[in-house]
Amino acid sequence: MQNVAAAWLVLQLTHNSAFALAVFGAFSYAPVLVFGLYAGTLVDRFPHRDVLLVTQVVSLVGALIYASLTATHLISFPIILVLAAALGLNQALYFPARQATVLEMVGRGELASAVALNSTAFNLARIVGPAVGGIVIAAFGVAACFWLNAASYLGVIVALLTIRRRLLTAGPPLTALELIIEALRYVARTPALAGLFLLLFVAGTFGANFNLVLPLFTRVVLHANADTLGYLFAAQGLGALVGALTMTAAGRLLLDPRRIVLGGLLFALMELAFLIVPDFTQAVVLLLVIGWSFAVYSIGTNTYVQIHSPDRMQGRMVSLYSVLFIGTTPLGNIWAGIVAHLFGPTAAVWLGGAMTGVAALVVLGYFLARRD
């Protein structure tokens, strides 16, 4: 809900500026790109539950500031950028801590199903949040979304307190830089991980730009309101939910690098369909398939990375995943914002799909050449 509300607020304050929305995205995700790998070293050094608790308290405070300033009409675009950067820094620490906690709680034997179930919960929120967020914005205003989001963190914090605090086993004393280099060398020596991370960089940078494009598509192409935006996000989220459930039921069958890449290729092909500018109904159908294929691809990559990473590197490997998947969003948002400004929102979708498709074919060919 907060993501939808913040994006809508930016458009209101900047008179539907695609560039402003791209800058907002850059400030939101650049901290993950800059500090993501360092955050992974912190996750590997401290109890995961404690790190998660800190991130949720910071998120609660951020939501309260958003709500208060919006309700009192003191919010401005520069203030939004500052808040976005602060919460982005918090996100850089939250994502690897959350993912590493999954392995800590269930062990490797159930990791594939646990990651998929974790993604199921996340995608349920992606369905309910944007849909309800659009309705709340239309009925009560943008500030109401921030107030509701702030209240939700109280439940999250209580839930985290029920998890046992597990101390980490002390390893050899290494600096943060040495820990990062160790993780990167491990990826370089593992061809499957190197190929999946390469595709993840392209898909995360150029393909996954819907947080920027859908608000523009709703206002500029469909000439619709926030409730329509909520339905579009919900369609993508519903497809992703089905994809997460697919991985829960059949994840072990799909956890082959070549099959994971095929999911990314299907995602790219569906984005290419935006070459024919869709109406609302067509967009909903495309977003359902896009959500499913991207969930299968991203969950498969995430699970494969965790399964094939040593325990001592879990935080760093997942942080590298988050850097390539989330941290590259600022680069992608700037690119998509320029493309959307020059050629329209749909061009940003299908061009991103084309680039992702080329990368998927290259990586797939690399895997097939090495299958012996």
Side-chain angles (χ1 to χ4, degrees):
M1 290 178 67
Q2 178 158 304
N3 289 341
V4 173
W8 200 257
L9 190 60
V10 168
L11 290 176
Q12 285 182 336
L13 293 173
T14 61
H15 307 290
N16 299 337
S17 170
F19 178 75
L21 201 59
V23 172
F24 167 72
F27 272 71
S28 298
Y29 297 107
V32 179
L33 178 63
V34 176
F35 299 107
L37 289 177
Y38 177 74
T41 68
L42 295 178
V43 172
D44 283 340
R45 287 174 170 178
F46 295 98
H48 302 150
R49 192 206 68 170
D50 294 356
V51 177
L52 280 174
L53 279 171
V54 170
T55 62
Q56 297 312 284
V57 171
V58 172
S59 296
L60 168 61
V61 173
L64 287 175
I65 294 174
Y66 254 129
S68 302
L69 294 179
T70 303
T72 56
H73 303 289
L74 296 176
I75 196 73
S76 65
F77 184 56
I79 292 176
I80 290 176
L81 295 182
V82 172
L83 287 171
L87 293 176
L89 183 61
N90 187 57
Q91 183 79 357
L93 192 59
Y94 163 72
F95 190 83
R98 171 186 163 203
Q99 297 293 326
T101 301
V102 175
L103 173 61
E104 184 180 82
M105 293 177 70
V106 305
R108 290 189 179 274
E110 302 295 336
L111 181 62
S113 295
V115 171
L117 285 171
N118 194 27
S119 298
T120 299
F122 175 77
N123 285 297
L124 274 172
R126 288 181 61 194
I127 297 170
V128 176
V132 176
I135 295 171
V136 169
I137 291 173
F140 305 105
V142 176
C145 289
F146 298 128
W147 288 120
L148 289 171
N149 186 47
S152 74
Y153 283 109
L154 298 175
V156 176
I157 291 170
V158 170
L160 287 174
L161 289 173
T162 67
I163 299 175
R164 289 195 303 273
R165 181 178 183 270
R166 299 183 182 180
L167 297 177
L168 300 179
T169 302
L174 297 175
T175 66
L177 181 59
E178 289 172 331
L179 289 170
I180 292 172
I181 292 174
E182 180 188 27
L184 294 177
R185 283 177 176 170
Y186 181 79
V187 172
R189 295 194 305 265
T190 312
L193 290 179
L196 290 176
F197 277 137
L198 173 62
L199 178 55
L200 188 68
F201 169 75
V202 178
T205 304
F206 303 106
N209 52 30
F210 291 100
N211 284 342
L212 172 76
V213 174
L214 284 186
L216 288 170
F217 179 77
T218 301
R219 293 184 71 116
V220 176
V221 178
L222 299 181
H223 305 290
N225 297 318
D227 52 350
T228 299
L229 174 62
Y231 294 136
L232 292 177
F233 272 121
Q236 184 190 359
L238 179 59
L241 172 61
V242 177
L245 293 173
T246 302
M247 294 300 293
T248 304
R252 295 185 184 277
L253 296 176
L254 299 174
L255 283 181
D256 175 87
R258 288 162 291 179
R259 294 170 186 168
I260 293 171
V261 172
L262 287 175
L265 186 58
L266 176 60
F267 163 72
L269 291 174
M270 290 300 100
E271 286 200 316
L272 277 172
F274 272 77
L275 266 168
I276 303 172
V277 179
D279 58 23
F280 173 74
T281 302
Q282 294 167 339
V284 167
V285 174
L286 286 174
L287 288 169
L288 284 169
V289 183
I290 284 172
W292 181 88
S293 57
F294 196 70
V296 169
Y297 161 68
S298 60
I299 295 172
T301 302
N302 186 8
T303 307
Y304 191 91
V305 166
Q306 293 192 58
I307 288 177
H308 292 83
S309 300
D311 288 352
R312 71 180 189 279
M313 292 188 187
Q314 283 294 311
R316 283 166 285 165
M317 297 302 289
V318 175
S319 70
L320 179 58
Y321 174 90
S322 67
V323 166
L324 297 176
F325 185 48
I326 300 175
T328 55
T329 301
L331 305 177
N333 278 351
I334 293 174
W335 173 83
I338 294 172
V339 173
H341 177 73
L342 295 176
F343 307 109
T346 55
V349 178
W350 67 259
L351 277 174
M355 298 174 74
T356 303
V358 170
L361 290 173
V362 170
V363 174
L364 183 61
Y366 172 66
F367 286 163
L368 290 174
R370 292 183 55 90
R371 62 182 174 182
D372 57 322

